[in-house]
Amino acid sequence: SAATFDTVDGDVMVCRAGTALAAATATTMRIPLADGFSGEAIRMNRTLRGDDTETDPRVAARACREYGVRSMLAAVVRDRAGPIGVIKVVANEPFQFAGADADSLELLAVGLGALCQRKRAEAETARSLRMQREIVSFQQDLGSSQVDLPAMLNLLTTRSQALTEASGAMVELIVGDEIVIRSAVGCLGQ
């Protein structure tokens, strides 16, 4: 038996973590969401049990044969926004999972979803605090600065790009009837 945590990445499912056997075989696999067992669990937004991969049309049959998977169970992992992935257990024999296994896996999926949500919230909080510190620091730099307007605008664009992690930033000013770029950094649209 083996287990994986597969996440949605655009229109494919990608293995993000797994037991030794699963991780060694599945981390390179990118299975389209429209195909495969994990994608079906996401689309249906519910736990699925596949008793025999040789007869189950929901599985990626070629991949199951290649890795010796004969039965599987997948529980949807959700955060506040909805499904983000599945936790899946597989076995090399058919009919290895029962209703109690599905219940247990669903409980694990709820815990994993809560953990993912908390980690995202922590990352967002850290990013917000970093941005606030940068804004205060920038305001202090501008307030104590003796530089001319062009140098101040260059500082503004450079700090704005760094603060937002954007590929570029610019300052545009109205001059008469035109909008004129006064400072630009990074990669701006063609």
Side-chain angles (χ1 to χ4, degrees):
S1 294
T4 64
F5 174 47
D6 305 337
T7 61
V8 177
D9 184 8
D11 61 349
V12 297
M13 294 296 296
V14 179
C15 178
R16 299 293 180 193
T19 58
L21 172 64
T25 58
T27 54
T28 58
M29 292 177 58
R30 296 178 64 82
I31 297 178
L33 243 153
D35 300 333
F37 201 72
S38 295
E40 181 75 5
I42 291 290
R43 286 190 309 280
M44 295 183 73
N45 196 21
R46 68 180 184 90
T47 298
L48 296 180
R49 188 174 80 201
D51 290 324
D52 188 350
T53 60
E54 288 296 319
T55 60
D56 193 330
R58 302 171 297 181
V59 304
R62 183 184 57 77
C64 287
R65 282 187 204 105
E66 183 177 343
Y67 297 114
V69 173
R70 287 298 309 274
S71 58
M72 60 179 67
L73 182 63
V76 178
V77 177
R78 300 169 186 85
D79 67 6
R80 285 188 308 204
I84 59 170
V86 297
I87 185 167
K88 181 169 54 178
V89 291
V90 299
N92 58 3
E93 294 293 328
F95 298 96
Q96 290 298 299
F97 304 107
D101 298 317
D103 293 343
S104 297
L105 197 62
E106 284 177 0
L107 288 173
L108 287 172
V110 168
L112 183 56
L115 177 64
C116 290
Q117 181 65 39
R118 189 181 90 222
K119 290 297 183 182
R120 285 183 181 164
E122 288 172 357
E124 184 57 35
T125 298
R127 182 176 182 270
S128 293
L129 290 173
R130 181 185 59 79
M131 289 179 78
Q132 290 172 8
R133 283 191 301 273
E134 287 290 326
I135 290 168
V136 168
S137 173
F138 177 62
Q139 289 172 334
Q140 291 170 339
D141 291 349
L142 283 180
S144 63
S145 177
Q146 299 297 321
V147 298
D148 59 4
L149 182 60
M152 189 181 311
L153 294 177
N154 286 337
L155 180 60
L156 175 64
T157 54
T158 301
R159 295 286 286 271
S160 295
Q161 180 188 18
L163 180 65
T164 60
E165 299 175 353
S167 58
M170 71 173 84
V171 173
E172 301 173 322
L173 299 175
I174 298 173
V175 179
D177 292 340
E178 298 179 326
I179 296 177
V180 179
I181 297 174
R182 290 295 186 194
S183 177
V185 296
C187 175
L188 300 175
Q190 305 289 336

